[in-house]
Amino acid sequence: MKTILIIGAGLSASSLIRYLLQNSVEQNWIVSVCDQDIKLVETKLNGHPNGRALQFNALDATERRPFLESADLIISMLPARFHIDIAKDCIELGKNLITPSYVSKQMKELDQAAKEAGIIIMNEIG
């Protein structure tokens, strides 16, 4: 099974979580969702057998890194200013990243490093 890690379970992540869970059985996905509020995550997963509720400090590189390492795809639903550190980790780990945020100057500066790492960082899809 492929693991999709969604970081952030706020209001804007609701439709995404629902869509991924609805397609998870057919696509053979585990949908892991992390948020500071584990109860919120559990509510959004609604007991789905392919959903995994996680709670870790996504702003702490040491704490988030093992979760990024074990995922096949990372989707950051955090506020845009936090995507850069997540993107840098994804480049180092060779993990693809999706964010709904506009491409910032700092994100543009990571383009070559992402290409060299052989990953895709896809922005502006929210």
Side-chain angles (χ1 to χ4, degrees):
M1 291 191 112
K2 299 279 185 182
T3 299
I4 300 170
L5 173 61
I6 301 171
I7 304 173
L11 187 58
S12 62
S14 298
S15 295
L16 170 66
I17 294 167
R18 197 169 35 257
Y19 172 83
L20 292 175
L21 288 173
Q22 287 171 352
N23 290 280
S24 67
V25 174
E26 181 182 323
Q27 297 299 323
N28 206 27
W29 296 331
I30 294 294
V31 181
S32 296
V33 182
C34 165
D35 197 272
Q36 292 179 7
D37 183 350
I38 193 75
K39 297 270 188 224
L40 174 66
V41 175
E42 291 168 349
T43 298
K44 292 195 179 193
L45 294 176
N46 195 28
H48 195 286
N50 287 6
R52 302 290 180 269
L54 303 173
Q55 184 179 30
F56 60 87
N57 182 355
L59 305 183
D60 180 326
T62 304
E63 199 170 328
R64 76 175 168 253
R65 190 123 177 160
F67 296 97
L68 298 179
E69 288 174 350
S70 66
D72 296 293
L73 172 67
I74 292 94
I75 303 173
S76 178
M77 297 300 290
L78 297 172
R81 67 185 178 274
F82 300 120
H83 295 319
I84 300 302
D85 289 335
I86 302 290
K88 288 177 181 177
D89 283 350
C90 288
I91 289 168
E92 287 181 30
L93 296 169
K95 303 291 181 172
N96 295 317
L97 172 66
I98 297 173
T99 79
S101 301
Y102 295 110
V103 180
S104 67
K105 180 180 183 275
Q106 295 88 352
M107 194 65 82
K108 284 180 186 178
E109 291 170 354
L110 297 176
D111 182 62
Q112 188 58 41
K115 288 176 181 173
E116 290 171 7
I119 69 162
I120 295 169
I121 298 178
M122 188 180 303
N123 300 282
E124 295 191 51
I125 61 166

